[in-house]
Amino acid sequence: MSQQDPVERASEDEEPLHFEQASWQTSEETYEPLLSEKGTSEVTVESPLPDDLTRDSVELPEVEEPELARHYTRLSEMNYGVESGPFPLGSCTMKYNPKFTEDLAARPDASVHPDRSEQASQGTLQVLHELQGYLADIGGMDAVTLQPPAGAAGEFTGILIAKAYHEANGDDRSEVIVPESAHGTNFASAAMAGYDVVSLPSDENGRVDTEALDAALSEETAALMLTNPNTLGLFERDIEEIADMVHDVGGLLYYDGANLNALLGRARPGDMGFDVMHYNVHKTFATPHGGGGPGAGPVGVVEELREFLPDPHIREEGDTYERYTPERTIGKVHGYDGNWLVLLKAHAYITRLGDSGLTDASAKAVLNANYLAEQIDYEIPFGPFHHEFVASAGEQDAADAAKRMLDFGVHPPTTKWPEIVPEALMTEPTEIESKRTLDQLAAAFDAAKSSSGETLADAPNRTAVGRIDQTEAARNPRLSWQALDE
Ligand SMILES: *Cc1c(COP(=O)(O)O)cnc(C)c1O
């Protein structure tokens, strides 16, 4: 039988394509048993260490190698990730990470000890220096630090740099302005840096309300934090005017560049008037993310802010690369040069794609979001959008709709944020998905849309694990078999 078009099937009122996740149920109630239930739990190992330094036994289950391999394979089949299917989790840029970067990072000569002398680390320093330059070019910035280990850490670093700049000018400012639709980390970073956070409402088109901005700006404004396209996927058309307004009161303009794949090769925050920004290499530049990292959130700055960069920074002197301490550095924000192997992967990804590949990525990120939006039967209140859109589940609860989508072999979008769209489904398919996969996604959206209240409340049904108590899982995670046993 030939492949059927999932969209066509859905419209014929039949079930669209779906897959059933492996569940490895061994009896009515038990899923894949714990290793401790599979094997004997005492292992005695002869140790060459002195007796007072060793335990008599380690509570490790003893299972044979094939059992062990099958156990972990089964668990992985009960899971879902970017290698299982589409993952359109808005604002998170969950895309497949090509394996050639992993091969590079796994090479023995890539694992250099950070205390090795500079002379013996020239290759490492060169890669880092080149990446500083690539990112500066991509963002339209004058200098880039690679130290921060995540996007949020980049924001915090960037705001500390802004603070150090104002203080160096004898300018004691107390406020950072953040649009109400901004990523939650923006508010947290500004507050952690000691600022009062002023929340800025959106206008009726979902963009920065310039009148409200005018009212919020003052001599107390240290910075305005903005992302463009914003969390609704909309381009802030008044960005030049906004930049002038902020600069006129002596403030700095911060760019949250977590979702830069909408702009790659087409527009640069530096050219729009931004003074400081962060990049998420684990989103835009396809280094792995999720599960808490490791990632990297490099920070770019304009020339006036270069001397405040974290210590150390890397520069090229003659034909050698060296670390130095910027004159008025904010200090260290991470150990050594940052997450080196993650940065190596970002360097490899950018080099492999080149200018034309990066420009192609932003085209596809925007095309895919717009194609998917066209296919689904949901209201999308704000547009035109770029790399993501925010649909409304309308009468349905967005979380229910999302759970139902799981039954069709896709990961659902981000739900209930930004709050400006009721029952928000914030959807970012990313540039890597094929038309066929986008059609599968569209079918999952529409299957959720046409599901009865009863089905929705009960979903998901085809996954290895049914609906869980998300609040309990987040507040009280049981991450080990000991915790489960208790
Ligand atoms: C993901 C994201 C961040 C935070 O990045 P982390 O690496 O998760 O700390 C900040 N802003 C926006 C818009 C994001 O999407």
Side-chain angles (χ1 to χ4, degrees):
M1 215 172 81
S2 65
Q3 296 276 14
Q4 289 183 338
D5 179 349
V7 175
E8 220 169 86
R9 290 192 55 173
S11 65
E12 283 165 9
D13 220 28
E14 278 175 57
E15 292 270 282
L17 287 181
H18 71 271
F19 83 150
E20 246 159 275
Q21 240 174 0
S23 65
W24 307 109
Q25 217 152 4
T26 50
S27 72
E28 277 303 299
E29 291 95 33
T30 336
Y31 288 106
E32 173 66 11
L34 298 172
L35 281 180
S36 59
E37 293 161 356
K38 285 194 176 192
T40 50
S41 66
E42 295 250 313
V43 184
T44 315
V45 186
E46 284 299 322
S47 167
L49 294 172
D51 280 352
D52 57 340
L53 293 180
T54 56
R55 283 173 284 182
D56 288 339
S57 85
V58 188
E59 289 250 335
L60 287 177
E62 191 169 18
V63 271
E64 280 130 19
E65 184 175 324
E67 275 303 307
L68 191 72
R70 285 174 187 161
H71 174 70
Y72 285 111
T73 303
R74 286 173 170 169
L75 289 182
S76 78
E77 287 170 351
M78 290 166 64
N79 215 333
Y80 189 93
V82 286
E83 282 160 36
S84 322
F87 211 125
L89 198 62
S91 199
C92 295
T93 317
M94 300 297 290
K95 60 187 190 193
Y96 172 80
N97 312 302
K99 294 294 168 261
F100 76 94
T101 66
E102 298 296 334
D103 291 345
L104 263 178
R107 283 171 59 124
D109 47 354
S111 10
V112 279
H113 194 281
D115 273 334
R116 202 156 81 169
S117 75
E118 273 179 16
Q119 199 197 349
S121 313
Q122 282 298 301
T124 315
L125 293 176
Q126 181 180 350
V127 166
L128 293 171
H129 186 264
E130 282 175 9
L131 183 60
Q132 289 178 181
Y134 295 162
L135 292 175
D137 277 351
I138 289 169
M141 294 281 133
D142 294 316
V144 169
T145 172
L146 305 174
Q147 243 185 60
E155 289 170 30
F156 183 55
T157 303
I159 294 297
L160 287 182
I161 291 173
K163 190 175 191 176
Y165 165 81
H166 289 307
E167 283 173 3
N169 292 337
D171 200 357
D172 194 15
R173 293 171 177 247
S174 63
E175 293 174 356
V176 167
I177 305 175
V178 182
E180 61 184 10
S181 65
H183 197 264
T185 49
N186 290 190
F187 303 90
S189 301
M192 272 177 67
Y195 285 108
D196 295 331
V197 180
V198 178
S199 177
L200 189 69
S202 310
D203 70 8
E204 73 276 8
N205 300 314
R207 295 190 173 81
V208 167
D209 184 333
T210 43
E211 269 173 42
L213 176 61
D214 194 43
L217 286 168
S218 74
E219 303 282 294
E220 290 301 324
T221 307
L224 166 66
M225 297 179 84
L226 215 59
T227 183
N228 193 19
N230 66 24
T231 49
L232 290 166
L234 312 182
F235 193 80
E236 298 285 356
R237 295 176 182 146
D238 299 326
I239 188 59
E240 284 169 332
E241 183 193 342
I242 292 170
D244 287 345
M245 290 168 71
V246 173
H247 291 149
D248 282 350
V249 299
L252 294 174
L253 196 56
Y254 184 93
Y255 182 77
D256 178 339
N259 309 120
L260 201 63
N261 44 329
L263 295 191
L264 288 175
R266 290 166 200 280
R268 309 191 310 165
D271 299 334
M272 298 177 203
F274 285 93
D275 304 294
V276 49
M277 67 176 287
H278 81 269
Y279 310 74
N280 270 44
V281 302
H282 47 287
K283 291 180 182 170
T284 312
F285 302 110
T287 68
H289 87 292
V299 170
V301 296
V302 293
E303 197 53 51
E304 297 90 298
L305 301 179
R306 186 196 289 265
E307 56 182 348
F308 302 100
L309 286 173
D311 177 35
H313 193 239
I314 297 161
R315 68 182 168 200
E316 190 179 5
E317 281 292 302
D319 36 10
T320 50
Y321 298 94
E322 63 178 32
R323 299 186 179 93
Y324 76 100
T325 302
E327 218 167 306
R328 305 168 97 161
T329 179
I330 59 162
K332 279 191 170 298
V333 298
H334 196 62
Y336 298 100
D337 306 308
N339 282 336
W340 150 245
L341 289 179
V342 174
L343 297 164
L344 174 65
K345 290 179 209 177
H347 181 287
Y349 182 78
I350 292 172
T351 317
R352 174 69 66 94
L353 261 63
D355 284 343
S356 64
L358 293 175
T359 312
D360 190 48
S362 57
K364 289 191 175 130
V366 174
L367 178 65
N368 282 0
N370 280 270
Y371 175 77
L372 178 61
E374 276 296 313
Q375 305 307 309
I376 62 174
D377 191 17
Y378 279 77
E379 194 207 340
I380 300 166
F382 298 103
F385 42 81
H386 291 76
H387 63 300
E388 69 187 0
F389 60 84
V390 184
S392 173
E395 300 290 296
Q396 291 179 344
D397 185 298
D400 284 349
K403 296 290 182 206
R404 179 67 176 141
M405 287 183 209
L406 292 170
D407 280 335
F408 300 96
V410 305
H411 194 286
T414 300
T415 55
K416 310 226 181 202
W417 179 70
E419 284 161 11
I420 182 169
V421 174
E423 299 305 329
L425 293 168
M426 184 195 220
T427 313
E428 183 187 7
T430 84
E431 63 270 25
I432 61 139
E433 302 303 350
S434 64
K435 178 173 175 297
R436 186 177 161 72
T437 304
L438 294 171
D439 288 340
Q440 184 197 358
L441 256 178
F445 268 83
D446 289 342
K449 181 89 185 175
S450 58
S451 294
S452 69
E454 208 181 323
T455 310
L456 285 174
D458 203 33
N461 281 306
R462 295 177 179 134
T463 47
V465 176
R467 192 176 295 209
I468 56 164
D469 181 339
Q470 295 191 162
T471 317
E472 176 67 12
R475 299 225 169 113
N476 242 331
R478 284 175 300 204
L479 301 176
S480 68
W481 61 269
Q482 283 110 325
L484 194 70
D485 269 359
E486 280 160 24

